Amino acid sequence: MGKFYAVKNGRKIGIYDSWNECKKQIDGYKGAIYKSFSSYDDAYKFINSTGIYKVDKQEHSLNNINVEESLSNNNDIAKAYVDGSYSDLYNMYSYGVVILHKNEIVKFSGRDNNEVNLSMRNVAGELLGAIEAIKWAIKNNIKDIYIHYDYEGIEKWATGIWKTNKEGTKSYKQFIDSIKNDLSIRFIKVKAHSGVTYNEEADVLAKSEFDNINEDFKTEVNHLNNVYLDIFSDVIKKEDKSKSKNQCSILFKGQTITDNKLKKIAKEIWKLDNKAIADIENINVQLVIDDEVLNIDIKDVFNEMFKYNIIFK
């Protein structure tokens, strides 16, 4: 009796009759997961052991399944496109979701500013989009959902291929594990900004969330950013009297900026919130030249994190 080769993670997930076919899917593929079995049923169980992937027992590969035909003929199947975005100005991340179910197209989006996830920027939005798409599927009694994504962490954190080091990725993995008995998820990678219609629509939906922010809030944020810009300008213009021999400097917008000046800017903004300098445990400042954004992260002695941004555009 011949062997069955199960590819759990590779170019094409599925069960193959020969080693040569299996090798094509895993050779040179980072993080490939595969195993040989003497029975098809054992190979099938191996692929579905996480409760995430599902291979049709009538087929040897997910790629043999006609998704469009399945969608039109089966009320239990949905196809979702998810994407995320991030705004430095509002210090928020957002998501956009487009779902195809039967003959309908469902679109929705949202945003959040959970401090725990802000450091992941748009990735936080992409994860939230995947979660919301899955919640929609469960609410609508969907049994199979195809999630199309352009950031590989959507799949690799869910399947355990990537380690979940941050709180945001840990909670995402925990959510996926908690619903694995409720529906089957099939992840499909698409190339970002490559003209895939519904993926582009999900991207537009995510970005549009920042257009819907309350005008009063926008005015307040813009005013605060102008105050930060004034602080930046005042500090940069002053002579750096530090005698440190290990100073680093960079030329930005015609001004020489040193690491001491960046820390000084962070402290001045900190004081603006009526906080004591003595309460600062650590300061991390990052000047993103291409985006013209200064990101400031301050950790206080009470182990709380505070994030500030200065937008120069």
Side-chain angles (χ1 to χ4, degrees), residues 34-162:
Y34 59 98
K35 191 175 181 180
S36 65
F37 296 88
S38 58
S39 75
Y40 182 84
D41 282 346
D42 287 342
Y44 173 81
K45 290 176 183 177
F46 173 74
I47 287 183
N48 288 279
S49 60
T50 63
I52 293 172
Y53 293 115
K54 182 179 179 182
V55 176
D56 192 331
K57 276 198 172 185
Q58 302 303 314
E59 305 289 348
H60 277 203
S61 171
L62 281 176
N63 297 279
N64 291 328
I65 298 173
N66 188 321
V67 178
E68 300 301 335
E69 183 179 345
S70 297
L71 284 170
S72 61
N73 296 331
N74 195 330
N75 293 340
D76 294 338
I77 297 177
K79 186 177 180 182
Y81 291 81
V82 302
D83 209 348
S85 187
Y86 182 83
S87 169
D88 285 302
L89 181 59
Y90 302 120
N91 208 19
M92 289 182 174
Y93 52 89
S94 64
Y95 67 87
V97 177
V98 178
I99 294 178
L100 282 65
H101 180 230
K102 296 187 288 188
N103 295 318
E104 299 178 349
I105 299 177
V106 180
K107 301 178 183 180
F108 54 90
S109 59
R111 61 180 182 268
D112 201 357
N113 61 348
N114 189 322
E115 289 282 347
V116 174
N117 300 325
L118 287 178
S119 64
M120 294 193 295
R121 298 173 67 82
N122 63 296
V123 172
E126 304 215 18
L127 295 179
L128 185 55
I131 289 172
E132 293 301 322
I134 293 168
K135 286 182 178 179
W136 181 94
I138 294 173
K139 183 179 179 180
N140 288 275
N141 299 314
I142 303 298
K143 300 303 179 185
D144 291 86
I145 185 169
Y146 296 77
I147 295 184
H148 296 70
Y149 63 90
D150 58 28
Y151 179 71
E152 58 185 332
I154 297 296
E155 177 178 358
K156 292 188 175 179
W157 279 316
T159 57
I161 294 171
W162 283 3

Side-chain angles (χ1 to χ4, degrees), residues 6 36 39 41 72 99 147 181 184 204 229 249 263 274 285 291:
S36 65
S39 75
D41 282 346
S72 61
I99 294 178
I147 295 184
N181 293 323
S184 172
V204 171
L229 284 170
S249 64
K263 290 179 181 178
N274 295 317
V285 184
D291 294 337

